[in-house]
């Protein structure tokens, strides 16, 4: 089975209304629709652009106000998912539950369903500056195009959680990201390659670009979209199927062949998933999968 995926290098800039945000979102979705994509991925924290709308005094809104946009955010993406027939992974959006803030990835199904995955590993900035709380469970999501997981930015830097996602049946890891400098970007990028090799899965990642000059901790963004593959003969030698131009406003698109994953897991140059030494170290046993 082939899955066509698009990833958005979302350009952050100051806006004056939710309608401006919606118009920008629609532009990217229509672009992916023209390419015939099955999935489109937006970056982590791209809805912080809504904070730049500001209050009655023109001052940027604090992070605690972002959940006020949740209903409109969900309505917007439900409408586009139903209209286009695509699965829309609308980056992450900050929601509030029982007085706590969570950074939550959302996937909008073509039939109107909404899947949520809270970020599981929280960076020091998220904790100290934005008082974010960590999610407490991992899910994978079955679609008519395959089984996927959503692991946000810092999550991909922890091999155990991706092992769990693969054991639960995920063939594609969608990784929305937001990094403010080269160091953070390369941490996410290099570990995405490692996770693809270790688990013989695809990783689709992207980040924010541009700047929100009035929003604290969103003034700097260093981002690039990429579709990352295992490193084996059927795939590109560097494990990069496609990547964008760093820090440019753009969208990239590629086809993922799931059959190739199943073949290399069984008879590739290396079979890293099958060759785990669970007699030497604890690991997540795979659920029964069809190869």
């Amino acid at each position: 089975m082939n899955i066509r995926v698009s990833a958005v290098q979302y350009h952050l800039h100051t806006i004056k209304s939710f309608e401006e945000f919606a118009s920008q979102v629609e532009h990217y979705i229509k672009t992916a629709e023209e390419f015939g994509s099955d999935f489109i991925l937006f970056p982590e924290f791209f809805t912080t652009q809504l904070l730049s709308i500001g209050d009655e005094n023109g001052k940027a809104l604090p992070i605690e106000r972002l959940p006020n946009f949740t209903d409109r955010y969900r309505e917007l993406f439900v409408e586009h998912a139903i209209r286009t027939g695509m699965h829309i992974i609308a980056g992450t959006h900050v929601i509030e539950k029982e007085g706590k803030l969570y950074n939550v990835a959302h996937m909008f199904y073509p039939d109107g369903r909404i899947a949520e995955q809270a970020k599981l590993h929280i960076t020091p900035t998220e904790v100290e500056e934005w008082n974010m709380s960590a999610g407490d469970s991992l899910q994978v999501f079955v679609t008519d195009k395959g089984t996927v997981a959503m692991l946000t930015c810092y999550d991909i830097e922890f091999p155990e959680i991706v092992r769990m996602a693969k054991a639960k049946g995920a063939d594609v890891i969608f990784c929305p990201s937001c990094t403010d400098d080269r160091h953070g970007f390369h941490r996410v990028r290099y570990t995405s390659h490692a996770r693809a090799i270790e688990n013989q899965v695809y990783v689709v990642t992207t980040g924010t670009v541009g700047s929100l000059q009035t929003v604290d901790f969103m003034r700097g963004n260093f981002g690039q979209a990429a579709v990352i593959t295992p490193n084996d003969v059927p795939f590109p030698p560097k494990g990069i199927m496609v990547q964008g131009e760093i820090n440019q406003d753009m969208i990239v698109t590629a086809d993922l062949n799931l059959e190739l994953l199943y073949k290399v897991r069984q008879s590739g140059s290396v079979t890293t998933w099958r060759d785990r030494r669970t007699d030497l170290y604890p690991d997540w046993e795979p659920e029964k999968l069809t190869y």
Side-chain angles (χ1 to χ4, degrees):
M1 178 184 289
N2 285 323
I3 303 174
R4 181 162 292 180
V5 298
S6 291
V8 177
Q9 293 182 191
Y10 191 94
H11 183 257
L12 291 175
H13 58 275
T14 299
I15 57 175
K16 296 181 180 179
S17 67
F18 185 89
E19 288 69 29
E20 278 190 64
F21 170 77
S23 178
Q24 186 172 346
V25 162
E26 184 177 24
H27 156 66
Y28 294 119
I29 291 175
K30 284 186 174 180
T31 302
E33 185 182 13
E34 289 170 359
F35 280 112
S37 296
D38 300 303
F39 290 82
I40 178 172
L41 173 67
F42 286 84
E44 178 187 27
F45 282 135
F46 81 115
T47 64
T48 57
Q49 186 180 39
L50 296 166
L51 300 178
S52 72
I53 295 171
D55 59 19
E56 59 277 5
N57 298 316
K59 185 178 180 181
L61 300 172
I63 194 70
E64 294 81 6
R65 295 279 296 276
L66 196 51
N68 294 348
F69 294 96
T70 299
D71 288 345
R72 297 181 73 183
Y73 160 82
R74 289 175 175 161
E75 289 167 4
L76 173 67
F77 285 100
V78 165
E79 178 183 339
H80 281 302
I82 293 173
R83 180 185 63 79
T84 63
M86 288 192 294
H87 298 79
I88 302 176
I89 300 173
T92 70
H93 176 67
V94 176
I95 67 172
E96 182 180 352
K97 287 185 178 180
E98 298 178 352
K100 294 182 178 180
L101 297 179
Y102 295 89
N103 184 13
V104 179
H106 290 68
M107 180 167 68
F108 296 85
Y109 282 78
D111 62 6
R113 286 178 293 153
I114 305 173
E116 297 183 9
Q117 175 65 63
K119 189 174 182 178
L120 299 170
H121 303 85
I122 307 298
T123 65
T125 296
E126 288 175 281
V127 174
E128 296 165 9
E129 305 297 341
W130 284 350
N131 196 30
M132 292 285 173
S133 296
D136 57 10
S137 64
L138 170 72
Q139 301 179 70
V140 299
F141 304 97
V142 177
T143 77
D144 60 3
K145 301 293 183 180
T147 302
V148 307
M150 297 184 290
L151 295 174
T152 298
C153 200
Y154 196 30
D155 284 339
I156 205 73
E157 298 180 30
F158 295 84
E160 297 86 355
I161 201 67
V162 186
R163 287 288 202 202
M164 289 174 63
K166 168 63 181 73
K168 288 174 174 285
D171 289 321
V172 183
I173 309 297
F174 285 99
C175 180
S177 182
C178 174
T179 51
D180 60 2
D181 60 16
R182 287 175 172 84
H183 295 87
F185 165 76
H186 283 106
R187 283 195 299 271
V188 173
R189 181 59 177 272
Y190 292 152
T191 52
S192 292
H193 283 277
R195 303 297 88 86
I197 293 168
E198 293 161 353
N199 300 285
Q200 295 179 297
V201 296
Y202 292 109
V203 177
V204 183
T205 185
T206 194
T208 47
V209 304
S211 176
L212 296 177
Q213 297 181 12
T214 62
V215 179
D216 292 343
F217 309 107
M218 294 300 297
R219 291 183 172 86
N221 291 272
F222 192 97
Q224 181 187 41
V227 177
I228 297 167
T229 74
N231 285 66
D232 211 332
V233 173
F235 303 107
K238 294 184 178 180
I240 303 170
M241 186 169 290
V242 68
Q243 61 183 345
E245 299 296 325
I246 290 177
N247 290 334
Q248 298 300 306
D249 178 2
M250 64 183 298
I251 186 171
V252 302
T253 300
D255 288 333
L256 310 184
N257 186 330
L258 297 186
E259 288 297 323
L260 289 182
L261 288 182
Y262 307 148
K263 287 179 180 179
V264 299
R265 287 172 189 163
Q266 277 297 105
S267 57
S269 301
V270 293
T271 49
T272 48
W273 178 258
R274 189 178 66 191
D275 294 340
R276 292 167 300 126
R277 289 291 304 275
T278 55
D279 59 323
L280 297 179
Y281 46 79
D283 198 10
W284 287 88
E285 293 296 331
E287 295 176 2
K288 187 175 181 181
L289 302 174
T290 301
Y291 290 97

